[in-house]
Amino acid sequence: MQGLFDEDPEDAAPPAPTPKASSKAPKDPAQVGTVSEFVLREAGSIFQHLNKLDLHEKVQTLNALRTMLHEHSPFKDEPVDCVLWVQSSEVMANDYNPNSVAPPEMELLKLSIMADGYTQPIVTWPHDSKIEVIDGFHRHRVGKECKEVQERIRGYLPTVVIKDDRTGKADRMASTIRHNRARGTHNIELMSTIVAELVEMGKGDRWICQHIGMSVDELLRLKQITGVAALFANREFSNSWEA
């Protein structure tokens, strides 16, 4: 018999549904902290897999990640924002570098890299399945020729890629000279040869002075060193050179 205060089964409220446990962690940054904390946490979980890769695949993956980060960086217009490690066998010297380093200075550079590590990447231009040095020829040599350094950096070299609008040969030559002149001395004869080649490319005095950071007098002296009369054709600064 049903009691006075017994609840009729038909009038009882149905039991509340049991919530299902989520099989996935929340992906909304608001649920896990700040956006930056969320990004760092997600990245950390991904990076744990890097140690499962062999050296070459790991370097390639890290280079790809650095390139992706570079695309989202507020400094993506600066080459130094994206340093990539490439196999030294893929890096080749250019054929116009006017910078020369005496043996004692070369030994000092080697000592610096041995003691301090690579603090400056090599400026490069990738093309034709090779990577051409724009600046850092001697840093590139140490990484290739010094056995201790080569073993430490596992046959790779740190590189940055020059801006896309600097890939014409005249622009690359001008970039090499600017790097050299900003840093110190350079070989005068090789500089004269470069000036001659730029003139043969159709570059006028104004372009050469502007892009190399050279005064009119310096350009005149370099032209005089070559002794080639053709270099004085179509002068753009003739008024400045009149006595």
Side-chain angles (χ1 to χ4, degrees):
M1 174 183 285
Q2 186 175 2
L4 182 63
F5 298 103
D6 288 343
E7 188 176 15
D8 191 325
E10 294 183 0
D11 296 333
T18 303
K20 294 182 180 180
S22 174
S23 60
K24 294 184 179 180
K27 294 299 184 180
D28 184 359
Q31 300 180 37
V32 295
T34 66
V35 174
S36 61
E37 290 173 342
F38 172 75
V39 171
L40 292 173
R41 187 178 293 107
E42 291 292 299
S45 64
I46 294 173
F47 293 159
Q48 291 178 358
H49 299 285
L50 287 173
N51 293 330
K52 301 176 183 178
L53 306 176
D54 61 36
L55 174 64
H56 182 64
E57 191 175 9
K58 186 174 185 178
V59 172
Q60 284 188 317
T61 303
L62 286 170
N63 282 343
L65 287 170
R66 290 189 182 102
T67 302
M68 292 170 66
L69 289 171
H70 182 57
E71 288 299 315
H72 295 276
S73 171
F75 311 109
K76 64 181 180 180
D77 292 332
E78 306 301 327
V80 76
D81 186 60
C82 186
V83 178
L84 304 178
W85 287 88
V86 300
Q87 291 182 310
S88 60
S89 58
E90 299 178 4
V91 183
M92 63 178 184
N94 61 55
D95 57 1
Y96 53 78
N97 188 4
N99 191 20
S100 59
V101 175
E105 282 75 17
M106 192 67 181
E107 283 299 314
L108 181 59
L109 176 61
K110 174 182 173 181
L111 175 61
S112 173
I113 292 176
M114 282 293 297
D116 304 320
Y118 270 94
T119 58
Q120 298 181 58
I122 299 163
V123 184
T124 64
W125 173 55
H127 70 108
D128 299 335
S129 300
K130 285 289 185 180
I131 300 174
E132 180 182 299
V133 175
I134 302 296
D135 179 68
F137 170 71
H138 298 98
R139 297 193 296 279
H140 138 269
R141 276 190 57 192
V142 170
K144 280 187 172 181
E145 299 173 12
C146 177
K147 184 178 179 181
E148 297 91 338
V149 174
Q150 187 181 45
E151 289 178 353
R152 193 184 71 203
I153 58 178
R154 304 170 185 239
Y156 286 80
L157 288 171
T159 68
V160 295
V161 178
I162 198 168
K163 290 184 175 182
D164 292 341
D165 61 352
R166 301 284 92 191
T167 54
K169 186 171 184 179
D171 291 319
R172 300 197 315 273
M173 294 170 76
S175 179
T176 297
I177 295 173
R178 283 195 299 270
H179 279 87
N180 289 341
R181 285 168 62 86
R183 196 168 38 239
T185 59
H186 49 270
N187 187 291
I188 297 299
E189 291 184 1
L190 287 175
M191 277 286 293
S192 303
T193 301
I194 287 179
V195 167
E197 189 168 347
L198 289 173
V199 171
E200 291 175 359
M201 290 180 186
K203 302 299 182 183
D205 295 341
R206 188 178 303 277
W207 190 97
I208 294 173
C209 287
Q210 178 182 353
H211 288 80
I212 294 180
M214 183 180 294
S215 70
V216 176
D217 290 338
E218 286 180 294
L219 179 57
L220 174 59
R221 285 196 297 272
L222 286 174
K223 285 187 172 185
Q224 289 172 332
I225 289 173
T226 64
V228 180
L231 297 185
F232 293 91
N234 302 318
R235 292 181 303 174
E236 297 180 16
F237 294 108
S238 59
N239 292 335
S240 301
W241 292 343
E242 290 180 359

